[in-house]
Amino acid sequence: MATDVRCRVETDEASGVVRVTGVLDRCGVDTVRDGLLARLCDRPGPVVADLTGLRVADPAAGDVFAEVRREVRDWPAAELLLCDPTGAVAGVPAWPTLDGAMAGLAAAPLAAVVEADLPPVVEAARQARHLVAQGCGRWGLHELVEPACIAVTEMVNNVVAHARTAMTVRLAPRDSTLHLAVRDHSPRQPAFTGPAPLDTAGGRGLLLIDAVADSWGSSPVPDGKVVWCVLDTEDAARQG
């Protein structure tokens, strides 16, 4: 649970509902962002933020919900929905009642997802590649096995070499794309500076991810970060 003097965020683990209560002004933005991102990165699937007990005192502060939704849009199996009786928050799918929001959630197709918790050891990259091959085979994304294995190897190796924390590897399909993410517990963000000089060793992991992925990025979250990428079957076909 994340708390602020005027704003509180509470997660119902049984239902996936996150209740945001109190008064939201600019001082409470970080509380809301951290609470929602923590729930979204710790468990796959959409989150319903229940704003029934919330008063948005500053319209600019209310933008935090749309900002969180944009932040997670390319994560595997992640989405933010709202129960917003006032209709004051824009940029996020919303229902006026919690029952309506939960019905909308139930009506949406359940996203396929596979994930594994891995230790920060060299063997983790092999285990992550196996997970990718398993998921791509299950979802018929055979042409993405090779580029996704390249990407996940570099993402996992970065955790092993730099973050040195436990990690969660998660992937999910969306139409003709594969969404892949590795969550670790280090705040250190990856730094991409373009191609490495030919006379240097290492430093090419992010370059490889950039080469095989349609898009990629890193999201700071409470207690660490989520590094994600999206791979597209059409891009893989052109490169192949």
Side-chain angles (χ1 to χ4, degrees):
M1 181 178 72
T3 61
D4 185 81
V5 175
R6 307 189 72 196
C7 186
R8 175 172 293 184
V9 178
E10 297 176 294
T11 298
D12 181 348
E13 295 293 344
S15 67
V17 173
V18 176
R19 292 183 175 85
V20 187
T21 58
V23 178
L24 177 60
D25 54 22
R26 298 193 185 196
C27 293
V29 166
D30 288 346
T31 295
V32 173
R33 179 188 295 109
D34 287 353
L36 292 175
L37 288 176
R39 171 59 181 79
L40 284 156
C41 71
D42 285 345
R43 204 170 85 178
V47 166
V48 174
D50 182 3
L51 312 187
T52 303
L54 181 72
R55 180 169 70 85
V56 179
D58 184 339
D63 292 341
V64 65
F65 298 100
E67 291 169 4
V68 168
R69 186 172 186 244
R70 286 193 296 271
E71 186 67 50
V72 306
R73 63 185 173 188
D74 288 322
W75 292 10
E79 174 62 296
L80 179 63
L81 311 174
L82 297 181
C83 166
D84 179 17
T86 68
V89 175
V92 183
W95 289 258
T97 66
L98 183 58
D99 285 345
M102 297 304 291
L105 180 62
L110 183 64
V113 60
V114 297
E115 68 174 9
D117 295 323
L118 302 175
V121 297
V122 173
E123 178 68 11
R126 186 193 66 80
Q127 294 173 294
R129 288 192 295 272
H130 175 74
L131 191 74
V132 164
Q134 183 184 55
C136 288
R138 180 184 304 174
W139 303 320
L141 300 173
H142 305 288
E143 59 269 60
L144 293 182
V145 171
E146 182 177 353
C149 282
I150 291 172
V152 80
T153 295
E154 300 305 327
M155 295 161 85
V156 168
N157 283 345
N158 279 340
V159 177
V160 174
H162 303 295
R164 301 175 184 173
T165 72
M167 71 190 91
T168 300
V169 178
R170 183 179 297 160
L171 57 148
R174 190 183 305 169
D175 300 324
S176 63
T177 62
L178 178 70
H179 295 246
L180 173 64
V182 177
R183 189 257 204 275
D184 66 50
H185 300 276
S186 168
R188 179 177 178 179
Q189 293 292 311
F192 179 61
T193 57
L198 295 177
D199 58 352
T200 62
R204 294 181 174 82
L206 296 178
L207 181 61
L208 287 172
I209 296 172
D210 189 64
V212 300
D214 183 62
S215 59
W216 70 276
S218 180
S219 304
V221 299
D223 186 32
K225 62 181 174 295
V226 174
V227 179
W228 57 267
C229 70
V230 180
L231 300 103
D232 191 293
T233 54
E234 294 183 1
D235 287 345
R238 285 195 295 268
Q239 294 173 10

